[in-house]
Amino acid sequence: MLASHADRERAVDVLRAGYAEGRLEQPEFEQRVSRAYTARTVGDLALLVADLPQGPMPHPAPMTPVPPTFLAAPRPPTNGKAVGSAVCGVLCLVSFGLTGIPAVALGHAARAEIRRTGEGGDALALTGLVLGWLSTAAWAAMLTLMIVAAALSA
């Protein structure tokens, strides 16, 4: 089979790697490279690199295990109720406070589970609690003002 330009370049790359590893002397390397560029068939190229490894030989690095001290500590899973509390707390802003009570209930349940199981997500639960209590307090204040305004107008 006739050799392509890519075949010749691959053979020259193998020769360069062999020269860099000290497997070939300078005159022999130059002679083989010139023969590679003038080779007509893939068989001619194979003869030029037959006594060389096909590419740079990796030097095996010693595999030493990383001491557990330097390994990253595994993150505990995030509590699902904490995520739900945070989502309900954020939705208080767009739902005009309707999700405030679920945010508070989920936040308290999540913080109790987090303390008991060691899961993550305490900040999410706290966010849901704060937003839920703020929206609930705002609704309570608004209802109180409406009742006082109705009583004063009557």
Side-chain angles (χ1 to χ4, degrees):
M1 182 181 341
L2 293 177
S4 68
H5 293 297
D7 294 331
R8 288 185 190 92
E9 289 300 323
R10 265 185 254 124
V12 170
D13 287 341
V14 171
L15 291 170
R16 282 188 189 124
Y19 176 69
E21 292 174 351
R23 298 177 190 274
L24 297 172
E25 297 295 324
Q26 177 78 26
E28 184 181 3
F29 168 69
E30 290 173 357
Q31 179 187 17
R32 287 190 188 196
V33 168
S34 65
R35 286 179 54 199
Y37 282 125
T38 59
R40 294 210 12 98
T41 65
V42 176
D44 294 339
L45 293 173
L47 290 175
L48 291 174
V49 297
D51 59 341
L52 296 173
Q54 299 300 308
M57 294 295 291
H59 297 286
M63 290 297 295
T64 56
V66 177
T69 306
F70 298 111
L71 292 176
R75 296 180 66 186
T78 304
N79 186 289
K81 289 180 182 173
V83 173
S85 174
V87 168
C88 286
V90 170
L91 287 178
C92 286
L93 303 172
V94 295
S95 68
F96 302 107
L98 294 177
T99 57
I101 293 174
V104 170
L106 286 171
H108 283 296
R111 293 197 75 198
E113 283 183 14
I114 288 169
R115 275 189 236 109
R116 188 179 66 241
T117 63
E119 292 177 312
D122 191 49
L124 292 171
L126 192 59
T127 300
L129 275 171
V130 168
L131 292 174
W133 278 118
L134 285 175
S135 71
T136 303
W139 273 105
M142 190 173 301
L143 285 174
T144 303
L145 286 174
M146 290 171 69
I147 290 171
V148 168
L152 289 176
S153 67

